[in-house]
Amino acid sequence: MKIGLTLSGGGARGVAHIGVIKALEELGLEFSIISGTSAGSIIGAMYAYGYKPLHILEIIKEISIFKSVRPAWNWSGLLTMDGMKDLLFKYMPNNSFEKLKIPLTIAATEIRIGEIRYFNEGELIPAIMASCTIPAVFSPMVLKDGLYVDGGVFDNLPAKVIRGKCDFVIGSHCNQIPREFDPKNMKVVIERTLLMAINANTQISRNYCDVFIEPTGLGKYGSFEIGKAQEIFDFAYAYTKENFQRNSFSFLV
């Protein structure tokens, strides 16, 4: 039985994936292939590289978006993720899809032609950075074959791309939109608008999942609240433990 795991984008809420993975591991699940977008690509890469969930949590706290971004000083006037690149190289020095212990596919959006692209070979870290390049926040990521922004624009939960490569797909989604909204400033308006646009393609992608895990109430955490990483992890872990047992997965019964 080949089990696939697909991890959505969601900024700081992506820490929820670590809690979900830990809970699933404790049920005895092992994954044959992983896919991820944006924050999900970071968690997926770390896990596929061989790090255990609690170690990934500690790494993510260090890779905080606020510690890692730098002024771009270029035509865009936006931010770059050079600091994040340095930290990713620190923990994944092999920088190769082929060196991963579990096959991984990462989604990113080619902005010039408006298409989703999937990376599963060659250099790993540039693909992660491309997938994490949030529009209007970071400068687009230049790779040899194009100009890239966040994969969530077209495929925030890349389940379809691995559906034919496994027997069972588990989707972990952390990009929940809260029903309560206070438009107190332009930042939160832009964030919510982007979440709503991204959520549309997630509703299509979830149909490719046999089990879909979306911790109820996760929307109360903001996309940039990495300071609440431990709380987000604990929340998602407890939710998964409470709502998914062995009988949730037919092949384990």
Side-chain angles (χ1 to χ4, degrees):
M1 170 67 73
K2 292 185 177 181
I3 306 171
L5 176 67
T6 183
L7 308 173
S8 76
R13 288 190 295 267
V15 174
H17 297 316
I18 310 172
V20 170
I21 291 170
K22 188 173 190 303
L24 295 178
E25 275 193 343
E26 291 175 1
L27 289 175
L29 273 68
E30 296 182 2
F31 306 106
S32 300
I33 189 169
I34 300 171
S35 63
T37 294
S38 198
S41 75
I42 297 176
I43 307 302
M46 292 285 182
Y47 191 70
Y49 200 85
Y51 289 105
K52 300 300 289 182
L54 292 181
H55 195 175
I56 297 173
L57 179 61
E58 294 308 311
I59 293 171
I60 292 301
K61 290 177 182 177
E62 183 177 349
I63 297 180
S64 164
I65 195 170
F66 299 112
K67 296 177 184 177
S68 303
V69 299
R70 297 175 182 169
W73 302 115
N74 59 20
W75 62 270
S76 70
L78 300 177
L79 301 173
T80 68
M81 290 189 290
D82 290 345
M84 180 181 288
K85 177 176 68 175
D86 295 342
L87 286 168
L88 290 173
F89 268 109
K90 174 182 176 180
Y91 290 103
M92 296 183 290
N94 287 331
N95 186 32
S96 170
F97 279 94
E98 288 75 19
K99 296 293 185 179
L100 296 174
K101 296 180 179 180
I102 304 173
L104 172 71
T105 296
I106 290 174
T109 301
E110 210 296 335
I111 194 170
R112 284 191 176 124
I113 59 176
E115 288 184 359
I116 191 71
R117 296 280 178 83
Y118 299 102
F119 298 88
N120 57 20
E121 60 183 11
E123 289 191 285
L124 173 64
I125 290 172
I128 296 173
M129 294 176 63
S131 185
C132 292
T133 303
I134 303 170
V137 176
F138 296 109
S139 297
M141 179 73 185
V142 179
L143 298 182
K144 61 181 180 180
D145 62 339
L147 187 66
Y148 291 89
V149 296
D150 198 306
V153 174
F154 278 123
D155 195 354
N156 198 49
L157 185 72
K160 183 178 180 180
V161 70
I162 63 169
R163 175 73 264 187
K165 300 177 182 179
C166 49
D167 306 301
F168 195 93
V169 176
I170 299 171
S172 177
H173 181 245
C174 64
N175 220 32
Q176 192 178 87
I177 302 174
R179 292 190 176 277
E180 299 77 23
F181 176 60
D182 177 15
K184 56 187 177 182
N185 56 51
M186 185 56 66
K187 173 183 173 293
V188 297
V189 171
I190 292 173
E191 180 181 348
R192 186 174 178 84
T193 302
L194 186 59
L195 282 176
M196 293 169 67
I198 287 173
N199 216 44
N201 68 62
T202 301
Q203 297 309 310
I204 297 172
S205 297
R206 68 181 294 174
N207 294 322
Y208 294 97
C209 300
D210 297 289
V211 168
F212 183 75
I213 302 175
E214 181 184 59
T216 304
L218 199 58
K220 66 184 179 182
Y221 299 104
S223 299
F224 296 97
E225 289 190 282
I226 196 67
K228 295 185 177 179
Q230 185 67 54
E231 185 178 334
I232 295 171
F233 168 85
D234 292 340
F235 183 87
Y237 172 75
Y239 175 88
T240 308
K241 291 285 286 186
E242 181 178 348
N243 292 277
F244 296 88
Q245 290 78 41
R246 288 182 66 86
N247 60 11
S248 303
F249 307 95
S250 56
F251 52 86
L252 292 177
V253 179

